[in-house]
Amino acid sequence: MCGIVGYIGHRNAWDVIIKGLHRLEYRGYDSAGVALMNGDIKTYKKAGKVSDLENFAHDLDKSGSVGMGHTRWATHGAPSDRNSHPHYSGDGRLSIIHNGIIENYAVLKEALQLKGHEFRSDTDTEVLIHLIEEIQNSDGLELFEAVRVALHEVVGAYAIVVMSNEDPDVLIAARKGSPMVIGVGQDEYFIASDASPIVEYTKNVIYLKDNQIAYIKRDELVIKSTDNRIQTPYIQELELKLEMLEKGGFDHFMLKEIYEQPRSIKDCMRGRIYPNEGKIQLGGLNEYTEKLKNVDRIIIIACGTSWHAGLVAEYLIEEYGRVPVEVEYASEFRYRNPIISEKDIVIAISQSGETADTMAAIEMAKEKGATIFGVCNVVGSSIPRITHAGVYTHAGPEIGVASTKAFTAQVTVLTLIAFFIAEKRGTIKQSELVHLLTELEDVPGLVEKCLEANDHIVQIAEELKDSRNCLFLGRGTGFPVALEGALKLKEISYIHAEGYPAAEMKHGPIALIDEDMPVVVIATKNSSYEKVISNIQEVKARKGTVIAIVTEGDKDVTKMADYTIEIPNANEAFLPLLATVPLQLLSYHIAVMRGCNVDQPRNLAKSVTVE
Ligand code: G6P
């Protein structure tokens, strides 16, 4: 969590930093701050969003061509002006911004307090800058060395930028466990949590690695490891384009991203499926073909929406690949003592590639000898670096905090993985694979058709917008869709929503049903159609309002339901890719009608780098 930006060069640092912080606000938005080198360090910070900081600093002098900024998602210390970053040393000489968590901050703080340090905030970050100050004062070290030595005492995760009054033309940056990118310009450098604040200035970037520390001047960059070995920087060219980071005429990023799905699903399949030959090409997994043929069990680990994608994969891998699959919340898995053998394959799913619990679960499974595959969206993020192999989802940057296109891209990749496994293990007939891949190729067009229901969905949203609760029901792959529909609604509209397997309704949720309880049912024509009809009857008998997602041309459910939303007819395997789309739109419109901040829902963040 938290977004950081640094700049040193010839431009106005404030402008670069503020623009960058807006791009990183998806990472946290409860307070923001900037430090500028202008004679000495000038600090501007405020609880609230980046725009609140801009208003606060509107009439203040913001000159300077060296600076750093931060947008926060609070961990230690409530969101307040005082706890906002940057934090400074006791003598005000040094300033720091930090993304991550310093786990041993309490011990360090106590030791520093005994030496007379007084703290102004409740944060772990402030402890680190006092530690650097203490090391400089007691050992007389230069700034770079003092930061390097201090980092040896830190347990936890960090991406930091440090400035000093005594070195006005220097930025020090370091990372361990939290992402950091350095943009390389002409006599200027940019630092950021991801490439989005950098892309409009330069395409040349260096992804700093764990335990690396950078000394940055306008015309000089030196990278060392924290154990003091010189590192050769690897400059990469960004594929990211500026248009990808803008709303492109949509009111919100979330809506833009919902509408991007026909394209993102297509991108995800590009060069990977060959319907005529019944072949799937997943370059990242090729060298694991033997392993996949002999695998006894697949364990899927993920959090949030990615976990829902994992549930879809469980159905598909078991159905087609005939391998037992277990789907685990990474946060639970890492704290159990799970039985894992060298024959197991673990698939870690993560949009950001940075989720702390997922990373820790991967490390644990790796230690126990499992082979780890990653399914990630953000290229160059941490998870792809720690997995043995993987498949990128190529959905492009997802900025709305509630995941939409990343989910359908994950499901697409996992569908390909299920078919790939089936092909390698010989558990699917070639003719069936040809048939499935041919249909899969049509899915982007079918998603396009799902989007055509938008105006009709607006009308339904109007009816539901004042509800206090909502139940989502589905069977088979409709169950993870129901979970995802409920999650979208609660995340962005703050309506309490639950997803349930339709048949489980009678074991509890049915007690909640009355005329005030809308029930969204995934009732498409598939193997459980008849059974879902019975569930709808049970809801109607108790006066619940039924909103049904149905296959186009449906008659039976349409007669019973209060509202229906049609989606095109498709193979059951592809139901999640289609049925999720109207639920995303429904949540979106309800949230807009309730006046909620759709792209930045309260208390949430897109990338959860704390456990
Ligand atoms: C946060 C985000 C969710 C996301 C989850 C897992 O809660 O708000 O949208 O599904 O983290 O993130 P990951 O990046 O690992 O998919």
Side-chain angles (χ1 to χ4, degrees):
M1 329 292 251
C2 303
I4 62 181
V5 185
Y7 177 73
I8 180 162
H10 43 79
R11 299 170 202 264
N12 177 270
W14 171 270
D15 293 344
V16 175
I17 292 165
I18 287 292
K19 211 167 185 187
L21 290 181
H22 276 297
R23 297 243 165 88
L24 292 178
E25 252 188 323
Y26 74 86
R27 301 179 66 86
Y29 34 82
D30 59 39
S31 50
V34 171
L36 295 176
M37 188 58 76
N38 186 5
D40 54 8
I41 298 170
K42 303 283 184 306
T43 304
Y44 316 76
K45 50 190 202 171
K46 206 75 206 129
K49 296 189 182 291
V50 176
S51 52
D52 295 315
L53 173 68
E54 281 182 281
N55 292 338
F56 162 73
H58 189 261
D59 296 325
L60 304 176
D61 176 18
K62 300 182 288 289
S63 27
S65 55
V66 181
M68 59 190 189
H70 186 271
T71 176
R72 179 168 187 248
W73 187 85
T75 53
H76 290 93
S80 63
D81 293 355
R82 195 166 79 83
N83 287 332
S84 310
H85 298 217
H87 291 285
Y88 24 96
S89 54
D91 56 12
R93 191 170 44 88
L94 304 168
S95 184
I96 190 169
I97 52 171
H98 167 222
N99 167 32
I101 284 200
I102 295 167
E103 287 166 15
N104 59 338
Y105 84 101
V107 180
L108 295 172
K109 188 170 185 173
E110 214 179 300
L112 288 162
Q113 276 167 332
L114 287 175
K115 290 183 177 157
H117 287 257
E118 284 175 19
F119 292 87
R120 304 177 186 92
S121 77
D122 313 315
T123 65
D124 51 341
T125 306
E126 194 189 1
V127 174
L128 178 53
I129 198 68
H130 278 255
L131 178 62
I132 298 168
E133 177 186 24
E134 178 62 32
I135 290 171
Q136 275 207 303
N137 289 347
S138 56
D139 301 343
L141 295 178
E142 298 281 325
L143 180 64
F144 181 87
E145 266 308 288
V147 176
R148 195 183 68 74
V149 171
L151 291 178
H152 277 275
E153 294 190 34
V154 164
V155 178
Y158 55 78
I160 56 164
V161 184
V162 177
M163 288 167 58
S164 165
N165 279 340
E166 286 163 358
D167 294 285
D169 296 313
V170 174
L171 292 176
I172 308 290
R175 75 156 270 182
K176 183 184 172 194
S178 297
M180 180 171 266
V181 192
I182 298 177
V184 183
Q186 187 65 47
D187 290 332
E188 60 180 347
Y189 286 96
F190 305 82
I191 304 166
S193 301
D194 71 28
S196 61
I198 298 175
V199 64
E200 67 191 275
Y201 308 104
T202 175
K203 288 264 174 196
N204 296 326
V205 295
I206 298 163
Y207 287 92
L208 210 64
K209 296 196 183 115
D210 273 351
N211 299 310
Q212 287 189 331
I213 170 166
Y215 173 89
I216 308 170
K217 293 179 82 167
R218 286 182 181 78
D219 55 358
E220 187 184 0
L221 169 70
V222 179
I223 300 180
K224 284 189 172 184
S225 60
T226 42
D227 58 8
N228 211 16
R229 281 172 296 134
I230 285 281
Q231 311 278 295
T232 312
Y234 169 56
I235 301 183
Q236 276 174 256
E237 196 172 324
L238 278 179
E239 281 176 17
L240 189 69
K241 294 193 180 70
L242 194 57
E243 315 82 85
M244 293 174 171
L245 303 170
E246 286 164 356
K247 286 191 199 145
F250 286 90
D251 288 343
H252 297 96
F253 281 111
M254 181 179 178
L255 190 60
K256 175 187 171 224
E257 286 156 6
I258 292 173
Y259 272 85
E260 273 175 353
Q261 291 177 109
R263 199 244 340 122
S264 53
I265 294 174
K266 206 181 214 160
D267 285 350
C268 193
M269 297 192 286
R270 201 182 298 281
R272 291 174 170 165
I273 64 166
Y274 298 89
N276 297 338
E277 298 151 51
K279 265 196 90 58
I280 298 134
Q281 184 68 41
L282 295 175
L285 303 189
N286 267 346
E287 62 172 297
Y288 289 89
T289 304
E290 278 311 305
K291 183 103 208 171
L292 281 167
K293 276 186 187 162
N294 300 315
V295 65
D296 284 342
R297 177 175 71 147
I298 292 177
I299 303 167
I300 296 180
I301 48 175
C303 303
T305 287
S306 299
W307 184 77
H308 297 158
L311 292 178
V312 175
E314 177 182 21
Y315 283 87
L316 298 179
I317 295 173
E318 291 198 343
E319 171 76 19
Y320 295 102
R322 307 305 299 149
V323 185
V325 178
E326 289 168 23
V327 188
E328 303 262 5
Y329 282 116
S331 53
E332 289 296 316
F333 181 77
R334 64 179 287 199
Y335 287 116
R336 285 199 283 114
N337 185 13
I339 299 160
I340 302 171
S341 89
E342 285 170 11
K343 283 186 92 181
D344 290 331
I345 290 178
V346 169
I347 303 180
I349 310 169
S350 173
Q351 187 287 130
S352 62
E354 300 290 346
T355 302
D357 282 321
T358 309
M359 288 184 61
I362 292 171
E363 296 292 7
M364 187 184 76
K366 226 167 136 182
E367 257 172 46
K368 291 179 187 261
T371 301
I372 322 284
F373 296 163
V375 173
C376 295
N377 191 41
V378 179
V379 176
S381 56
S382 300
I383 290 178
R385 290 169 203 262
I386 59 171
T387 49
H388 294 108
V391 186
Y392 277 115
T393 49
H394 294 315
E398 189 180 66
I399 293 165
V401 165
S403 186
T404 52
K405 65 171 180 172
F407 172 74
T408 47
Q410 287 167 341
V411 170
T412 306
V413 161
L414 292 161
T415 306
L416 296 182
I417 292 178
F419 293 163
F420 186 80
I421 295 173
E423 186 206 346
K424 301 297 173 216
R425 290 168 64 88
T427 50
I428 191 166
K429 284 199 202 117
Q430 184 71 3
S431 55
E432 192 183 359
L433 196 50
V434 167
H435 184 73
L436 282 166
L437 294 180
T438 309
E439 275 203 49
L440 182 58
E441 207 177 25
D442 290 338
V443 163
L446 301 184
V447 171
E448 195 91 59
K449 283 186 117 184
C450 293
L451 293 168
E452 286 169 14
N454 184 54
D455 291 350
H456 175 53
I457 294 172
V458 171
Q459 290 166 16
I460 301 175
E462 193 64 56
E463 301 296 323
L464 300 188
K465 68 176 195 305
D466 298 320
S467 309
R468 296 187 56 209
N469 299 290
C470 191
L471 197 58
F472 287 72
L473 303 177
R475 299 179 86 118
T477 52
F479 167 51
V481 172
L483 288 174
E484 179 57 10
L487 179 62
K488 283 298 83 99
L489 188 65
K490 71 182 123 188
E491 276 180 315
I492 60 170
S493 74
Y494 317 137
I495 293 175
H496 170 242
E498 298 282 351
Y500 250 80
E504 280 293 302
M505 179 182 65
K506 55 186 165 299
H507 299 294
I510 200 163
L512 300 171
I513 293 174
D514 60 15
E515 54 274 23
D516 295 327
M517 175 65 105
V519 183
V520 178
V521 189
I522 317 302
T524 48
K525 284 230 168 83
N526 56 42
S527 51
S528 46
Y529 183 63
E530 301 299 334
K531 299 211 177 337
V532 171
I533 287 184
S534 311
N535 299 133
I536 292 175
Q537 277 162 342
E538 287 156 12
V539 175
K540 285 313 302 170
R542 285 152 187 92
K543 300 196 170 61
T545 305
V546 171
I547 304 96
I549 307 296
V550 298
T551 307
E552 61 188 351
D554 178 281
K555 297 233 163 33
D556 300 336
V557 173
T558 306
K559 268 189 250 154
M560 285 178 257
D562 298 83
Y563 308 97
T564 54
I565 304 170
E566 292 195 343
I567 62 170
N569 191 14
N571 191 299
E572 200 165 340
F574 310 131
L575 167 72
L577 291 172
L578 305 181
T580 305
V581 176
L583 301 187
Q584 295 167 342
L585 286 169
L586 187 64
S587 299
Y588 170 79
H589 290 299
I590 291 175
V592 171
M593 287 168 192
R594 288 167 70 94
C596 300
N597 186 337
V598 171
D599 283 335
Q600 294 173 348
R602 70 182 179 210
N603 305 339
L604 296 178
K606 185 133 197 85
S607 167
V608 182
T609 53
V610 295
E611 60 171 285

